[in-house]
């Protein structure tokens, strides 16, 4: 789960960028009905030994789309990684923006989470990121599982998931960026917490694809080599 494969632009209008880790596939949040039907057809044509796993991923995708369409989600990626036994584990990474109607976003965030409290004992922990201070919290909850319901049961199957969230107040836009990771592999929470924080640390307001500024003249001068601090690091290398 270490390393980052690609740079992702938040949609529909990029105001920030973030790194997409290896093992994650960016999802189309606005698929056409024809596209969904084609995916279902391709899954049905797969060999039997992999069809069930592909169908489970497709069900997870469908559940995620249903949940995200009612929220201001700007990016979503589905992850699949091997566990200690070599079995695939699934996770969903989402990035969204929450407007605060002109109010100071950090004050709004702390008021919203006032009942949680701050500090490791209470679950809400501040963390320093390249774009400012973020706030991390995690929980375990019961939700709809991406599997078929038990025999004789019409309601969707349910399961326990680990959910980690990093909220980043952005005063200049009066908004809050949230990076969230959800996985049914509760026993791997420590690993996924590392992935979540890794993604949060790549959030940047500088377009990585923008042309680099003109090279500073290298003519020797009184401040040559003095380390004036005018260069900024690129979180995407």
């Amino acid at each position: 789960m270490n390393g980052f494969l690609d740079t992702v632009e938040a949609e529909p209008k990029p105001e920030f960028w973030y790194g997409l880790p290896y093992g994650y596939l960016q999802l189309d949040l606005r698929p056409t009905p024809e596209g969904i039907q084609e995916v279902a057809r391709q899954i049905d044509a797969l060999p039997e030994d992999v069809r069930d796993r592909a169908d489970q991923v497709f069900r997870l995708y469908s559940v995620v789309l249903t949940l995200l369409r009612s929220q201001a989600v700007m990016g979503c990626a589905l992850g699949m990684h091997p566990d200690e036994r070599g079995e695939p584990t699934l996770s969903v990474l989402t990035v969204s923006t929450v407007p605060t109607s002109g109010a100071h976003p950090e004050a709004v965030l702390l008021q919203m989470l006032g009942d949680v409290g701050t500090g490791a004992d209470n679950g809400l922990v501040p963390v320093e990121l390249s774009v400012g201070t973020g706030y991390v919290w995690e929980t375990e909850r019961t939700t709809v599982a991406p599997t078929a319901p038990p025999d004789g049961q019409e309601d969707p199957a349910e399961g326990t998931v680990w959910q980690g969230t990093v909220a980043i107040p952005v005063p200049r836009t009066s908004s809050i960026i949230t990076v969230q990771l959800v996985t049914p592999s509760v026993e791997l929470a420590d690993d996924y917490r590392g992935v979540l924080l890794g993604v949060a640390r790549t959030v940047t307001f500088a377009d990585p694809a923008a042309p680099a500024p003109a090279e500073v003249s290298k003519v020797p001068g009184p401040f040559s080599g003095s380390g004036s601090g005018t260069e900024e690091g690129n979180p995407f290398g």
Side-chain angles (χ1 to χ4, degrees):
M1 295 185 188
N2 294 326
F4 288 83
L5 176 63
D6 198 2
T7 297
V8 179
E9 293 184 354
E11 297 180 351
K13 181 181 179 181
E15 294 183 350
F16 62 93
W17 291 258
Y18 58 96
L20 187 65
Y22 285 106
Y24 282 88
L25 174 66
Q26 189 77 2
L27 302 183
D28 183 1
L29 298 181
R30 301 168 185 82
T32 63
E34 294 77 14
I36 294 177
Q37 291 176 2
E38 175 60 19
V39 173
R41 186 195 66 77
Q42 292 177 5
I43 291 177
D44 190 58
L46 290 173
E48 185 176 357
D49 58 338
V50 298
R51 188 185 309 148
D52 289 344
R53 175 59 65 179
D55 182 65
Q56 183 179 7
V57 174
F58 183 64
R59 287 175 181 271
L60 180 60
Y61 179 39
S62 300
V63 170
V64 169
L65 282 182
T66 301
L67 295 175
L68 299 186
R69 280 172 178 169
S70 61
Q71 304 177 28
V73 173
M74 306 181 76
C76 178
L78 180 65
M80 180 177 290
H81 302 87
D83 62 14
E84 295 179 351
R85 301 182 300 276
E87 296 293 328
T89 64
L90 301 177
S91 60
V92 177
L93 174 68
T94 57
V95 178
S96 58
T97 301
V98 181
T100 62
S101 302
H104 194 286
E106 186 169 18
V108 172
L109 175 63
L110 293 178
Q111 182 177 2
M112 291 170 57
L113 301 174
D115 293 338
V116 178
T118 58
D121 293 339
N122 294 315
L124 182 63
V125 181
V127 58
E128 292 303 318
L129 307 172
S130 62
V131 292
T133 301
Y135 296 88
V136 187
W137 71 95
E138 57 188 272
T139 186
E140 292 183 13
R141 60 186 180 85
T142 301
T143 186
V144 176
T147 57
D151 293 339
Q153 178 178 320
E154 296 183 358
D155 295 333
E158 293 186 342
T160 301
V161 298
W162 175 85
Q163 176 179 302
T165 305
V166 177
I168 309 171
V170 187
R172 73 176 190 178
T173 61
S174 298
S175 62
I176 301 170
I177 297 173
T178 63
V179 182
Q180 189 172 88
L181 189 59
V182 179
T183 178
S185 301
V186 178
E187 70 281 3
L188 297 178
D190 289 344
D191 293 327
Y192 282 108
R193 185 184 305 109
V195 173
L196 173 68
L197 292 174
V199 174
R201 290 189 175 106
T202 69
V203 173
T204 178
F205 302 125
D207 184 354
E215 184 177 359
V216 178
S217 174
K218 295 184 178 180
V219 177
F223 300 104
S224 297
S226 62
S228 61
T230 56
E231 296 183 358
E232 295 184 2
N234 186 336
F236 297 94

